[in-house]
Amino acid sequence: MNVFDWIVQLMGIALAVAAAPVFVGWVNQCRAWLQNKSAPSLLQPYRGIRKLFHKDAVIAENASRLFRLAPYVVFGAMVTAAAVIPSIATRLPFTQAADAIALVGLLATARVFLSLAAMDVGTAFGTLGARREMMIGFLAEPALLVVIFVVSLTCATTALPMIAERLSAQSFTLNPSLAFTAVAFTMVLLAENARIPVDNPATHLELTMIHEALLLEYSARHLALMEWAAALKLFNYACIGLAMFIPWGIATSHAPLRLAVSVMLLGVKLLVAGAGLALIETLSAKLRVFRAPEFLATAFLFAVLGLLVRLLLGA
Amino acid sequence: MNMTALPWDLQLLNALAALLLLLSFAMLSQRRIVALVDLLALQGALLCIATLLLAWRTGSRHLFVSAALTLGLKVIFLPWLLHRLIRRLGVYWDTEPLLNIAGTMLVGVLVVIFAFGLAQPITALASTATRNSIGIALAVILIAFLTMITRRKAMSQVVGFLSMENGLFFGAMSATYGMPMIVELGVALDVLVAMLVLGVFFFQIREQFDSLDLKHLESLKEDQ
Amino acid sequence: MEFIILLGAPLLGALILGVFGGRRLAPEVNVGFSLVTFLAACALTSRIVAHGNLLVAREQFFIDAFNVFLVTLTAFVGLTTSLFSRPYMRIEAEHGRVSSGQQRLYHSMYQLFMATMLIALTTNNMGLVWVAMEAATLSTVLLVTLYRTPASLEAGWKYFILCGVGISQALFGTILLYFAAEKVLGSEGVSALLWTHLNAVKGQLEPSVLGLAFVFLLVGYGTKVGLAPLHNWLPDAHAEGPTPISAVLSGLLLNVAMYAVVRCKVLVEGSLQSSLPGRMLMGFGLLSVVLAAFFLWRQRDVKRLFAYSSIEHMGIIAFAFGMGGPVANFAALLHMTVHSLTKSSIFFAVGHATQKAGSQIMDNIRGLITLSPTVGWGLMMGTLAILGTPPFGVFASEFLILTTAMKQQPWATPILLLALGVAFAAIFGRVQSMVFGDTSAKRLPHPPALIPVFTHLGLVLLLGFFIPPYLADWYRAAARLIGGE
């Protein structure tokens, strides 16, 4: 662990934090293309965040300290997660802490604080959003954990960087179990990041909101941090997915050439992933809220099927 | 890590087996009857491909004939017959099943675990290359059975029944590279005749009850 | 050769009647083909008695002591039922319940049903047993729904689905059997599915696989036998179809399914060297007897009543085969014969009674003895026979079974006695009020032809007194074959 490693680590974090809004912008761009509309520029999310930072925060009178604290906690959790996920390299200083299950716990912490903050002020929509968010989370977490179990079984470890290394080391084989878990993971990604078919991120109808309802009370810098955290969450999920299912190209050493190649490959993978996400969103219709458990049950089912197929066929 | 790479045809067979299992679950949750029949046809197609792969791998001639039979009967003729029946009888949607979809899926998962456990002794004794798929075949059979139980429209029960036959065929293939030709021909003939009889039967039911909902067929009680 | 005629006659009959079955002389043609089948069966029997077991068509068909008497029984009851159905279907057509197209279907399916049962009985290939059983089911589905009433449609649907699902389990059992056999007999040709070959190597077959296979086979073929708890289709199917079909379903198809179960039991017992198959059969048998006896009380429809009686008797037969050993097997085989004859004769009498009374509900049938003495006495004697009254044959077989049970499985004897007693009370009470009750209807001008009824009852009576030596030898040979203890 020398200074160079730490520099690479910090660079990785900075890259993630900086690139997250662009990723969201790219997904919006693709969606607009698919819908034959013209999208705002790719850098629009940055402008939005900057605008919010310049404003004055307006906070409700009965808001507690939790309300003010929550944006920082959530953003911090997301940044920590970004540090731990092996998006460009696998042998970084934080690798020892990069247990996949701990990662799930970190994301759960963020969700808990978000929901608590929404309920803090006592408005109807906040509570509505919080309860819906917790319902989605409560159903999505088992699916996510089973996905991680399957991948861990395949690689005999729960450390995400080790998983990435081992999966990229073997030759290409047709693994039905991994295919099923990839589908399950995509469905969980859609649910957790408030994408269609579970939640429409662009809606302004409060009664249909799940994630947006949690942010209704926030303004200015708090809102900026929350939005940035949401973008970062999507980025993190995408990187987790890539590390587990498409790990080829992640640098295992710290040669500068390898790192540069890794960063470029990551960019390409994220471009494709973003386009894929936009495609899924365009092709699906938003589910009614009470159908969301069915959607997540299907995701859980896929994950469990992957587990069973792995145990039976050994593949 | 013990991941040795299998030859590509065995990998493909494993993938096909997993897809078959997935299709059974898809049929379990599907409410549109037309889509149900299409899934059945797809299941037949996957079976046909798996049989062809096995035939190519083992060089057995009767498996080729078997694959052709599957193609003709389960992929082309039976789905066509069922679609024709659906059009003429006008049954397009199934009603809400007894247990909700999510609950049914979870029961399905338990059934699959049970089937895998039940198939362990057979897998241990088999000598075919596809012996691991015996558990999947048994799971497909039991899930098809579950599909039949949780349905209320006669047409969906029939599709479940045919899916069970598909599972049996796959089981025979995985465990013993197929049954002797004469038995397979007999089974195919039986399935065919059963469907034809059913076609006539459905019209009789519809004529009498103006509906193919099974609640009309549950009135015979013990004290009658 | 007699065997070709045996199978060829009904198949040819099905074809011809499929075209001409709606004509005036169709019932006579039906009787004709059944007669030819019966004569071929008798010829085959005499050949077996003279020369011993027979293998036909490159070992695809196998006739031995066990199935030859079943073949003759099937052909005989087929003949008498076709005789019964001649006037019966004529009257049904006159009442307008059956159209000419339905007559055609009825006659051709009848012959086809006979053919499939005979194939199931004589084939050596376990896979073909399955195919024939399923074909037998399919050929009778449309017959059960012949009258197109809501009740018959429901009965037909239950019959189709429940038997279909059940028999799929039997197919899985057959696949497992083949799987175990392939290791020993190789996968060339059909050798691994031929019963004779399997019987020769049954000690070498893998016990765990065969145990699992037997469970599936028992559940599958047991559904067709009507063993509880898989019996739901039976009362409806036997009650809602035309009476001749009820007679052959109750009398013949249940026997054929039982035969299939016993053939499998022989193989599995040889492999497992334990009494597990026997104990399973006993369990299912007892359950059927008890369930049927208690359900008998709630019946209001006369054909359903006797359908439950069939379940009960099949349970007794299953129990006896489960016990195993020479005496129990002998008794079970005898019981299969007499039950077949008696139950079909009862259904003949019931058929006439319901036709006269215009209804199947027992409360609506009264005073048969005044209406037509032959029908009344026929029904009364048939009922007494089936309830095990001496000196009828059923008493002899039930006595043997009970005494064997007292020696080998004493705990089961009180259960059996109780169930038999309950059934006696239920059926006798109903039939008595049907036969001897008051009625204001006048006696019929001409008596209906009841030769089949009295022929069967006469045979059953004979078998109660005296079993001809060749028949007794057959039963003993078959009992030895089935083995088990």
Side-chain angles (χ1 to χ4, degrees):
Chain A
M1 297 298 148
N2 51 21
V3 179
F4 187 58
D5 290 343
W6 283 103
I7 294 178
V8 173
Q9 175 80 77
L10 287 170
M11 258 179 47
I13 300 176
L15 181 67
V17 170
V22 174
F23 186 56
V24 174
W26 168 243
V27 175
N28 289 338
Q29 175 82 279
C30 290
R31 207 166 51 210
W33 279 340
L34 284 168
Q35 293 171 3
N36 213 16
K37 294 194 266 204
S38 61
S41 100
L42 280 176
L43 305 176
Q44 188 61 25
Y46 288 119
R47 294 191 193 118
I49 293 177
R50 203 182 61 173
K51 171 189 80 174
L52 284 171
F53 269 120
H54 284 309
K55 291 198 174 179
D56 282 339
V58 177
I59 302 182
E61 275 176 1
N62 53 352
S64 71
R65 262 215 301 258
L66 178 74
F67 188 79
R68 271 173 260 249
L69 199 56
Y72 301 101
V73 172
V74 172
F75 189 72
M78 289 305 152
V79 172
T80 318
V84 157
I85 297 170
S87 35
I88 49 175
T90 57
R91 304 287 172 102
L92 291 176
F94 282 167
T95 306
Q96 283 102 317
D99 186 66
I101 302 183
L103 194 60
V104 174
L106 201 59
L107 295 169
T109 314
R111 181 171 48 242
V112 164
F113 269 92
L114 200 52
S115 308
L116 282 177
M119 289 201 287
D120 190 67
V121 186
T123 61
F125 289 126
T127 319
L128 176 77
R131 294 166 88 172
R132 284 177 179 177
E133 175 79 11
M134 287 316 260
M135 174 182 79
I136 303 281
F138 143 77
L139 293 169
E141 244 178 59
L144 187 58
L145 281 172
V146 177
V147 168
I148 291 179
F149 283 161
V150 177
V151 181
S152 309
L153 263 182
T154 314
C155 304
T157 168
T158 54
L160 205 48
M162 295 302 124
I163 292 177
E165 261 188 40
R166 287 187 193 169
L167 281 176
S168 60
Q170 56 161 340
S171 50
F172 181 73
T173 47
L174 210 59
N175 280 328
S177 57
L178 286 181
F180 284 167
T181 40
V183 174
F185 184 79
T186 314
M187 292 172 86
V188 169
L189 187 150
L190 291 172
E192 288 267 14
N193 291 292
R195 298 274 133 197
I196 295 178
V198 179
D199 182 17
N200 185 355
T203 184
H204 9 268
L205 302 170
E206 290 89 348
L207 288 175
T208 66
M209 288 180 183
I210 300 180
H211 180 81
E212 288 295 309
L214 302 168
L215 307 178
L216 279 175
E217 287 296 318
Y218 279 112
S219 56
R221 60 182 182 282
H222 299 131
L223 186 58
L225 282 175
M226 286 295 213
E227 299 231 328
W228 207 338
L232 201 50
K233 186 173 179 181
L234 181 62
F235 187 85
N236 284 339
Y237 261 92
C239 286
I240 296 174
L242 290 174
M244 288 202 290
F245 302 112
I246 317 180
W248 302 281
I250 298 183
T252 46
S253 69
H254 289 177
L257 190 62
R258 287 297 311 272
L259 284 174
V261 167
S262 172
V263 169
M264 274 204 313
L265 270 177
L266 181 70
V268 170
K269 287 189 219 171
L270 283 175
L271 277 179
V272 175
L277 183 61
L279 186 65
I280 297 176
E281 288 208 86
T282 315
L283 289 177
S284 324
K286 183 177 163 328
L287 288 171
R288 301 175 67 178
V289 176
F290 70 85
R291 291 253 184 249
E294 262 179 43
F295 182 78
L296 288 165
T298 315
F300 181 70
L301 179 76
F302 269 101
V304 173
L305 270 183
L307 179 65
L308 291 173
V309 168
R310 164 90 200 142
L311 288 174
L312 184 76
L313 293 176
Chain B
M1 212 164 71
N2 58 348
M3 297 205 53
T4 51
L6 299 164
W8 69 270
D9 49 349
L10 278 182
Q11 281 184 39
L12 195 54
L13 277 170
N14 279 341
L16 282 173
L19 275 175
L20 259 157
L21 190 59
L22 190 66
L23 272 180
S24 316
F25 271 102
M27 286 209 280
L28 191 59
S29 67
Q30 183 61 250
R31 284 194 202 99
R32 277 186 65 223
I33 298 189
V34 176
L36 208 57
V37 176
D38 287 334
L39 284 173
L40 186 70
L42 190 58
Q43 212 182 33
L46 286 180
L47 272 180
C48 181
I49 296 176
T51 317
L52 276 173
L53 264 176
L54 260 184
W56 177 80
R57 190 188 158 82
T58 58
S60 144
R61 223 182 36 152
H62 98 255
L63 276 178
F64 278 111
V65 177
S66 211
L69 193 64
T70 312
L71 183 69
L73 187 67
K74 297 193 178 149
V75 182
I76 301 181
F77 184 68
L78 281 181
W80 172 80
L81 186 67
L82 285 171
H83 275 300
R84 212 171 77 119
L85 271 177
I86 292 176
R87 263 200 311 274
R88 290 174 67 180
L89 292 170
V91 276
Y92 290 105
W93 283 93
D94 201 347
T95 46
E96 192 71 28
L98 301 152
L99 188 61
N100 67 348
I101 301 271
T104 320
M105 301 281 231
L106 289 174
V107 174
V109 170
L110 289 173
V111 162
V112 170
I113 297 177
F114 174 68
F116 283 3
L118 198 60
Q120 286 285 39
I122 311 173
T123 310
L125 291 165
S127 56
T128 56
T130 44
R131 58 182 169 277
N132 288 324
S133 321
I134 297 175
I136 292 191
L138 194 53
V140 169
I141 296 173
L142 290 178
I143 292 183
F145 188 54
L146 190 65
T147 317
M148 283 180 75
I149 301 180
T150 54
R151 296 288 168 154
R152 301 207 63 85
K153 279 275 166 68
M155 190 62 87
S156 332
Q157 283 200 350
V158 169
V159 174
F161 181 67
L162 288 172
S163 176
M164 196 186 282
E165 292 285 331
N166 281 349
L168 282 167
F169 179 78
F170 188 60
M173 254 206 354
S174 319
T176 57
Y177 288 151
M179 301 274 276
M181 204 61 230
I182 185 151
V183 176
E184 287 199 11
L185 278 173
V187 173
L189 182 67
D190 268 339
V191 171
L192 186 62
V193 171
M195 286 303 115
L196 293 172
V197 164
L198 260 183
V200 175
F201 199 11
F202 276 167
F203 277 104
Q204 291 181 354
I205 296 183
R206 229 269 298 257
E207 206 176 72
Q208 181 63 238
F209 295 112
D210 279 330
S211 146
L212 278 182
D213 193 325
L214 288 173
K215 65 174 186 281
H216 296 293
L217 292 178
E218 287 173 2
S219 55
L220 267 184
K221 291 194 227 318
E222 284 312 318
D223 45 10
Q224 262 173 291
Chain C
M1 234 183 23
E2 316 83 9
F3 185 73
I4 300 180
I5 303 180
L6 179 74
L7 289 182
L11 282 171
L12 186 64
L15 264 158
I16 294 187
L17 285 168
V19 181
F20 298 115
R23 305 282 183 81
R24 207 167 47 89
L25 284 177
E28 279 77 17
V29 174
N30 196 17
V31 173
F33 277 108
S34 305
L35 184 63
V36 172
T37 314
F38 177 60
L39 291 173
C42 291
L44 190 65
T45 313
S46 57
R47 176 193 265 257
I48 297 290
V49 168
H51 300 295
N53 296 350
L54 183 67
L55 276 168
V56 184
R58 282 189 297 175
E59 299 191 321
Q60 292 305 313
F61 293 96
F62 174 63
I63 329 273
D64 65 358
F66 185 20
N67 58 10
V68 75
F69 89 87
L70 277 173
V71 166
T72 318
L73 181 68
T74 308
F76 179 65
V77 176
L79 174 63
T80 45
T81 312
S82 65
L83 278 170
F84 164 72
S85 104
R86 236 189 73 226
Y88 185 83
M89 290 312 271
R90 282 241 160 77
I91 299 180
E92 293 287 287
E94 272 170 33
H95 286 181
R97 290 184 83 189
V98 194
S99 72
S100 128
Q102 285 168 320
Q103 290 260 22
R104 207 157 47 123
L105 180 72
Y106 170 78
H107 285 123
S108 66
M109 286 295 129
Y110 185 87
Q111 288 298 326
L112 188 62
F113 179 57
M114 285 290 138
T116 51
M117 280 201 292
L118 290 171
I119 293 178
L121 282 174
T122 54
T123 181
N124 198 10
N125 185 330
M126 295 305 286
L128 273 186
V129 169
W130 186 89
V131 173
M133 295 273 336
E134 174 75 350
T137 312
L138 289 174
S139 56
T140 39
V141 167
L142 288 177
L143 291 181
V144 168
T145 64
L146 198 70
Y147 292 141
R148 310 280 178 95
T149 58
S152 69
L153 286 174
E154 177 179 339
W157 176 255
K158 268 199 206 165
Y159 182 39
F160 181 84
I161 286 285
L162 288 177
C163 279
V165 169
I167 216 159
S168 305
Q169 313 304 312
L171 183 60
F172 190 68
T174 315
I175 292 176
L176 284 178
L177 189 64
Y178 180 61
F179 171 69
E182 200 195 27
K183 296 205 174 320
V184 181
L185 292 170
S187 55
E188 278 308 305
V190 293
S191 168
L193 270 181
L194 295 179
W195 190 85
T196 41
H197 293 195
L198 287 168
N199 197 26
V201 300
K202 61 190 177 199
Q204 302 166 34
L205 296 171
E206 185 65 46
S208 54
V209 178
L210 273 189
L212 194 62
F214 187 68
V215 173
F216 279 102
L217 284 166
L218 183 59
V219 167
Y221 289 133
T223 313
K224 296 238 44 143
V225 173
L227 293 174
L230 310 155
H231 65 285
N232 276 308
W233 59 274
L234 207 154
D236 298 333
H238 287 207
E240 299 301 329
T243 311
I245 298 300
S246 309
V248 286
L249 280 179
S250 251
L252 297 178
L253 189 56
L254 300 183
N255 274 353
V256 176
M258 195 77 227
Y259 163 82
V261 172
V262 173
R263 283 281 195 210
C264 296
K265 171 180 175 273
V266 172
L267 292 176
V268 177
E269 263 188 350
S271 158
L272 280 179
Q273 300 292 336
S274 85
S275 59
L276 178 68
R279 277 183 277 139
M280 286 178 72
L281 260 179
M282 277 199 283
F284 273 109
L286 266 182
L287 187 63
S288 310
V289 175
V290 172
L291 221 75
F294 284 101
F295 269 118
L296 276 168
W297 282 103
R298 303 178 61 191
Q299 300 313 312
R300 295 177 55 220
D301 178 319
V302 60
K303 291 212 282 188
R304 278 181 82 95
L305 183 77
F306 285 112
Y308 270 105
S309 164
S310 294
I311 298 179
E312 185 201 347
H313 284 278
M314 279 297 146
I316 296 175
I317 296 174
F319 180 76
F321 275 126
M323 279 198 294
V327 182
N329 285 338
F330 183 95
L333 291 166
L334 181 62
H335 200 92
M336 277 169 97
T337 320
V338 292
H339 171 256
S340 206
L341 292 169
T342 319
K343 194 48 70 68
S344 38
S345 83
I346 291 182
F347 272 113
F348 296 158
V350 163
H352 281 298
T354 50
Q355 248 183 358
K356 301 289 169 293
S359 152
Q360 284 180 203
I361 308 290
M362 291 188 277
D363 295 333
N364 297 344
I365 308 177
R366 284 280 179 270
L368 284 173
I369 211 97
T370 7
L371 202 57
S372 159
T374 31
V375 174
W377 279 114
L379 187 58
M380 197 70 220
M381 294 224 301
T383 311
L384 284 174
I386 200 74
L387 290 174
T389 328
F392 285 103
V394 181
F395 173 74
S397 57
E398 280 183 0
F399 180 76
L400 278 173
I401 295 175
L402 280 170
T403 44
T404 321
M406 279 195 267
K407 273 203 295 277
Q408 293 178 7
Q409 312 284 343
W411 55 273
T413 323
I415 304 178
L416 271 177
L417 280 169
L418 180 67
L420 285 172
V422 167
F424 190 101
I427 298 183
F428 191 73
R430 298 302 174 89
V431 172
Q432 208 209 15
S433 44
M434 278 203 288
V435 173
F436 291 117
D438 294 323
T439 174
S440 55
K442 290 197 296 291
R443 176 191 284 241
L444 286 177
H446 38 259
L450 281 173
I451 301 175
V453 178
F454 290 108
T455 321
H456 282 200
L457 286 176
L459 279 171
V460 175
L461 192 60
L462 180 69
L463 283 173
F465 280 124
F466 160 74
I467 302 181
Y470 56 84
L471 195 63
D473 283 333
W474 266 355
Y475 286 153
R476 267 188 234 115
R480 255 199 317 275
L481 199 89
I482 299 171
E485 181 69 73

